């Protein structure tokens, strides 16, 4: 069932340097099928009927985004991010006008589908609560230092890979992020801040192919997924 909300805003953290990709440009500007990753991601978002604006959070000296055609889209705005992803997200949240709900989505996740966007929005609106897309852990999980003896096997019951988008009440997310950052809490996703602030947050099961391009081998995998999804017409 579609909610009544029809023009949500997405904050898109895109101020990272992609050091784990070991390339000479930030990974969001690497190309798949002649289009930058960030262009794929923004097109996936803006082609969804319930998304009305994307606030792209850029690194201070980013001179690539403004040269992309998508930067001229009337629904695309930009602001400057910070040292950590959480700083960039907070800057993006403060740069948009006051909203009831806001979504945060990594620029490095171009394989997001409209099916998953609808599942997240519908759950949050119908349950009036924040939630994140996530996929269940598939492998046995070991804790160990690299090339060292295994310390233990983690219980993988009810263990999930957190993805994005993550969707929360706008003002509540700002205050929770500010509170967590003020306490020096390590925040790697928006849900971490909400958990710290004891604000309910739920899991919405999402597709396992909503991958975050992080390491070199992810690029070909993402290219394959994007092609497969187009044939599936799930976008
Ligand atoms: N200071 C930062 C760090 C990250 N990001 C963004 O957050 C998303 C997810 O972060 P990650 O995958 O860690 O990207 P990078 O930080 O660029 O990667 P790395 O850790 O390998 O440098 C990316 O779209 C990235 O551009 C951001 O906006 N601001
Ligand atoms: C937000 C996120 O994509 C959820 O899995 C992840 O935490 C980003 O972490 P990163 O270390 O900044 O890639």
């Amino acid at each position: 069932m579609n909610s009544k909300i029809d023009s949500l805003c997405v904050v898109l953290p895109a101020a990272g340097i992609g050091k784990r990709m070991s390339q000479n440009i930030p990974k969001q500007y690497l190309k798949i099928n002649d289009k930058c990753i960030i262009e794929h991601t923004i097109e996936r978002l803006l082609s969804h009927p319930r998304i009305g604006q994307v606030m792209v959070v850029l690194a201070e000296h980013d001179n690539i985004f403004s040269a992309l055609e998508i930067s001229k889209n009337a629904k695309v705005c930009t602001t400057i991010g910070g040292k950590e992803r959480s700083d960039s997200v907070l800057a993006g949240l403060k740069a948009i006008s006051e909203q009831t709900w806001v979504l945060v989505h990594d620029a490095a996740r171009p394989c997001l589908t409209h099916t998953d966007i609808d599942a997240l929005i519908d759950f949050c609106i119908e349950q009036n609560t924040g939630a994140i897309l996530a996929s269940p852990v598939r492998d046995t999980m070991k804790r160990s230092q690299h090339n060292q003896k295994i310390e233990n096997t983690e219980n993988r019951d009810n263990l999930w890979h957190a993805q994005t988008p993550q969707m929360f009440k706008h003002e509540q997310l700002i205050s929770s992020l500010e509170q967590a950052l003020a306490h020096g809490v390590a925040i790697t996703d928006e849900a971490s801040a909400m958990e710290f602030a004891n604000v309910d947050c739920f899991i919405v099961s999402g597709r396992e192919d909503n991958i975050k391009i992080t390491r070199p081998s992810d690029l070909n995998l993402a290219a394959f997924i994007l092609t497969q999804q187009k044939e599936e017409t799930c976008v």
Side-chain angles (χ1 to χ4, degrees):
M1 179 186 93
N2 277 352
S3 69
K4 298 178 186 58
I5 300 280
D6 60 3
S7 65
L8 291 161
C9 180
V10 179
V11 168
L12 193 86
I17 61 172
K19 51 186 175 297
R20 288 171 285 180
M21 280 301 278
S22 310
Q23 299 290 313
N24 57 8
I25 56 167
K27 62 186 178 184
Q28 53 272 29
Y29 297 118
L30 295 174
K31 292 202 171 180
I32 296 176
N33 306 332
D34 293 329
K35 205 183 286 184
C36 295
I37 288 166
I38 194 170
E39 293 175 285
H40 285 286
T41 308
I42 295 174
E43 284 174 7
R44 283 288 171 97
L45 293 167
L46 288 181
S47 60
H48 190 286
R50 296 155 91 181
I51 291 173
Q53 181 194 24
V54 176
M55 172 59 73
V56 183
V57 189
L58 298 171
E60 189 175 1
H61 303 296
D62 183 313
N63 56 13
I64 304 176
F65 187 74
S66 58
L68 301 179
E69 197 53 37
I70 199 125
S71 69
K72 298 168 180 60
N73 187 309
K75 293 180 177 180
V76 172
C77 309
T78 62
T79 192
I80 301 301
K83 182 172 179 297
E84 303 297 332
R85 181 184 176 282
S86 49
D87 302 311
S88 297
V89 170
L90 189 54
L93 291 169
K94 291 182 171 179
I96 59 176
S97 58
E98 196 174 319
Q99 321 272 321
T100 304
W101 294 96
V102 67
L103 291 89
V104 180
H105 183 58
D106 294 329
R109 289 184 188 268
C111 303
L112 175 65
T113 62
H114 287 187
T115 316
D116 274 1
I117 294 172
D118 277 323
L120 182 65
I121 294 172
D122 288 346
F123 181 91
C124 291
I125 304 288
E126 288 158 15
Q127 304 299 325
N128 194 33
T129 182
I132 71 170
L133 286 177
S135 62
V137 160
R138 308 152 67 112
D139 305 307
T140 294
M141 307 302 283
K142 303 290 184 187
R143 185 168 299 281
S144 170
Q145 299 288 332
H146 183 233
N147 283 348
Q148 300 298 315
K149 187 169 67 69
I150 291 172
E151 293 167 32
N152 67 287
T153 297
E154 295 290 349
N155 180 341
R156 66 179 178 179
D157 293 346
N158 302 319
L159 203 54
W160 297 77
H161 293 286
Q163 300 170 342
T164 67
Q166 304 197 1
M167 180 171 169
F168 297 101
K169 296 284 175 70
H170 184 208
E171 288 310 304
Q172 209 168 33
L173 181 53
I174 290 175
S175 57
S176 301
L177 263 174
E178 288 178 333
Q179 190 182 339
L181 292 172
H183 284 80
V185 176
I187 298 294
T188 56
D189 72 341
E190 289 60 69
S192 316
M194 303 305 268
E195 293 155 43
F196 178 77
N198 292 317
V199 176
D200 288 352
C201 171
F202 288 77
I203 292 271
V204 172
S205 184
R207 292 173 56 125
E208 290 171 333
D209 60 5
N210 176 19
I211 65 166
K212 181 165 65 71
I213 297 175
T214 305
R215 295 187 181 84
S217 59
D218 296 330
L219 207 56
N220 287 338
L221 176 57
F224 173 77
I225 292 168
L226 289 170
T227 305
Q228 288 296 104
Q229 288 176 344
K230 276 212 168 45
E231 285 161 20
E232 252 185 72
T233 64
C234 58
V235 295

